[in-house]
Amino acid sequence: MQSYKIRILHPNAMTRLRLQPAMHGLIGILFLLITIGIYNRPNPNWFVAGFFFLLGIGSLVFPFMMRRFKNIQSANSLARTVQAFACLTGCLYVLTHMQPLVAGFLFLTGIATAYIGYAEYKIFMPSYIKVDINGAILPTTFSEKVISWSRLNNLILRNDLLTLDFKDNKVLQLEVLDEPGADKEAEMNAFFKSRL
């Protein structure tokens, strides 16, 4: 059975990369609001207030410093882990001060941050599209999506782009990360054309 496995940039990667600064910024603002809440208490815990203040400033500055890291994916995963841990432990601190609503909000924020971190980790992993006689298998965030040949008008690999032209007037272009070579590219395109 003839099949091809092509390494691509994950289809959701660009959307996630554009949203990263906003998500880090929102969590940074949340940490600064926690700092204000701790500071305004009758007997503030200066250590905890300083901890959340530093985390807030760090979360706000991180997106601007992220490009300087050698391994951006690892730095982002570490930042998300620290943010999720701080939210979950902050939840316990706030709960001890009899504020269950704020503690519940922090708990949900910690769970959401952990989910976002895991989704980003999965997106940054090497992704492959598999094309065989049944159709194309695309990676999604947590599973795979099968696209049958009957749904496609055209499938072509050209200039480091794999273009899927659907019959319902949708077009999906995926960036190919490994150059297959002219002969292999011609072979793949001939196979794709024979299946349409």
Side-chain angles (χ1 to χ4, degrees):
M1 181 169 86
Q2 197 168 11
S3 79
Y4 297 99
K5 190 174 181 181
I6 305 165
R7 187 168 165 252
I8 59 169
L9 182 66
H10 198 283
N12 298 335
M14 293 314 294
T15 305
R16 292 284 182 171
L17 287 174
R18 279 189 229 115
L19 289 176
Q20 270 184 336
M23 289 189 285
H24 282 291
L26 287 173
I27 291 175
I29 291 169
L30 174 68
F31 288 153
L32 292 177
L33 290 173
I34 293 169
T35 303
I36 292 170
I38 294 169
Y39 173 77
N40 285 331
R41 294 199 54 77
N43 295 318
N45 186 331
W46 293 107
F47 174 76
V48 175
F51 175 73
F52 278 106
F53 178 76
L54 291 176
L55 278 177
I57 296 298
S59 294
L60 289 171
V61 171
F62 179 75
F64 303 106
M65 303 296 290
M66 190 167 51
R67 303 278 182 232
R68 295 184 183 183
F69 291 108
K70 194 173 192 177
N71 190 343
I72 294 173
Q73 293 89 346
S74 295
N76 184 65
S77 294
L78 179 64
R80 291 283 184 219
T81 303
V82 168
Q83 290 169 347
F85 179 74
C87 285
L88 294 173
T89 55
C91 162
L92 296 174
Y93 175 79
V94 171
L95 195 58
T96 60
H97 290 80
M98 303 303 172
Q99 294 178 338
L101 187 63
V102 176
F105 178 70
L106 272 174
F107 179 77
L108 292 176
T109 304
I111 296 297
T113 303
Y115 170 78
I116 290 167
Y118 181 71
E120 288 172 347
Y121 170 77
K122 290 288 285 182
I123 285 171
F124 286 129
M125 296 298 289
S127 299
Y128 295 91
I129 182 171
K130 298 168 199 124
V131 183
D132 59 18
I133 61 170
N134 297 321
I137 302 171
L138 278 174
T140 61
T141 304
F142 297 109
S143 62
E144 295 178 333
K145 180 179 179 181
V146 178
I147 300 169
S148 65
W149 289 107
S150 62
R151 292 184 53 205
L152 295 172
N153 275 334
N154 200 4
L155 176 63
I156 190 164
L157 175 62
R158 185 178 296 141
N159 298 333
D160 294 334
L161 282 177
L162 182 67
T163 305
L164 290 88
D165 180 15
F166 293 89
K167 288 186 177 175
D168 59 357
N169 293 329
K170 291 182 185 174
V171 174
L172 177 63
Q173 289 190 318
L174 303 169
E175 184 178 341
V176 176
L177 298 178
D178 293 335
E179 178 67 36
D183 294 337
K184 189 74 171 172
E185 184 177 311
E187 177 190 324
M188 283 192 256
N189 284 327
F191 172 72
F192 300 157
K193 193 169 187 175
S194 72
R195 297 302 305 165
L196 294 169

